[in-house]
Amino acid sequence: MPAPIPMPVADRPRAARLTSEPAARATARAGLLRRLLVTDPRGLLPGRTGRIAYQDTDLERLWTTTAQLRPVLAWVGTFDARERLPLLFSAIAAAAATLAPDHRPVLIVCGDEPTDGPATAHPVDLARCHGISESVFVAGRRHHAEMPVLYRAADAFLTTATDTPAALWEAMGCGCPPIALTRTPAELVIVNGGHDANGWIADARPEYLAAAIAQVCIAPPERARRGRAAAALAHRQPR
């Protein structure tokens, strides 16, 4: 973990003055991510030409200059047109451009290219194209039983799918609030504001999705509040 480097108060964005995450919890979450990225890496390069293997030194990019975890966004799916990955990466890059370095999100991608149809651009290529390679980690396709590891390590679950993936409910059940798009079935599940807010809904344009992502990144207490509401809703659903 990088050594803490104090930042002058005058230079800190307003969100940095909010309550920090306890060090023990941040370390525990980083340990969960290490399991997915270093201990058991399954991410594949474009065209399945090789495995993406991370080292502990790569995980230093998860940490801020003040030894806090950067905001962690989880994405789960297949790299096909239904998932609208170009929109996702455009929005993340746009959000990062508006945020101080310590508040820029890290994206953990769990998924792979489709086996029975055409793939869209691979996350590795999209991240390089948008200049955010240092903020994207590809964990590969995981077994269903492993997914709670990701959701408990993440600050929010991000989906740009045209439908409502099962992973949405699974993430919510783990207290991971979702970010999804208007004009999708997720809009019937997610409450975007008010006392019962349990996630964020954005229009399917990069600038609107970027604004929602930026809100998530600068508001840890609100993330936690909406995560609790998401879990409560998920646990009330019939099994």
Side-chain angles (χ1 to χ4, degrees), residues 13-56:
R14 185 175 179 181
R17 300 192 184 105
L18 297 173
T19 304
S20 297
E21 180 179 34
R25 183 172 186 276
T27 301
R29 291 204 296 136
L32 295 176
L33 294 174
R34 186 180 185 278
R35 284 171 56 183
L36 298 174
L37 300 172
V38 176
T39 304
D40 185 21
R42 298 186 198 170
L44 299 176
L45 291 167
R48 296 192 175 91
T49 55
R51 190 173 295 278
I52 302 173
Y54 296 101
Q55 306 298 320
D56 283 318

Side-chain angles (χ1 to χ4, degrees), residues 2 8 15 35-36 51 53 59 61 103 109 133-134 159-160 223 231:
R35 284 171 56 183
L36 298 174
R51 190 173 295 278
L59 302 192
R61 308 198 307 262
H103 296 285
V109 175
S133 294
E134 294 294 300
T159 176
T160 46
R223 291 197 304 257

Side-chain angles (χ1 to χ4, degrees), residues 75-78 82-83 144 147-148 151 157-159 161-174 176 178 185-186 189 234 237 239:
W75 182 92
V76 177
T78 302
R82 182 182 61 86
E83 300 287 356
H144 180 266
M147 299 314 298
Y151 303 140
F157 173 80
L158 182 54
T159 176
T162 55
D163 59 5
T164 301
L168 176 75
W169 282 111
E170 294 165 0
M172 292 174 69
C174 291
C176 187
V189 174
Q237 299 307 301
R239 298 291 177 177

Side-chain angles (χ1 to χ4, degrees), residues 3-133:
I5 302 174
M7 183 185 300
V9 172
D11 294 339
R12 296 178 192 171
R14 185 175 179 181
R17 300 192 184 105
L18 297 173
T19 304
S20 297
E21 180 179 34
R25 183 172 186 276
T27 301
R29 291 204 296 136
L32 295 176
L33 294 174
R34 186 180 185 278
R35 284 171 56 183
L36 298 174
L37 300 172
V38 176
T39 304
D40 185 21
R42 298 186 198 170
L44 299 176
L45 291 167
R48 296 192 175 91
T49 55
R51 190 173 295 278
I52 302 173
Y54 296 101
Q55 306 298 320
D56 283 318
T57 52
D58 295 312
L59 302 192
E60 292 179 0
R61 308 198 307 262
L62 297 171
W63 296 91
T64 71
T65 55
T66 55
Q68 292 286 309
L69 276 182
R70 292 167 58 189
V72 177
L73 305 180
W75 182 92
V76 177
T78 302
F79 310 156
D80 58 24
R82 182 182 61 86
E83 300 287 356
R84 296 188 277 193
L85 284 174
L87 166 63
L88 170 72
F89 278 79
S90 293
I92 290 176
T98 69
L99 295 166
D102 282 356
H103 296 285
R104 292 172 186 164
V106 171
L107 178 66
I108 309 297
V109 175
C110 272
D112 195 4
E113 295 172 335
T115 57
D116 57 355
T120 57
H122 192 283
V124 167
D125 296 326
L126 287 167
R128 184 182 302 116
C129 177
H130 287 286
I132 56 172
S133 294

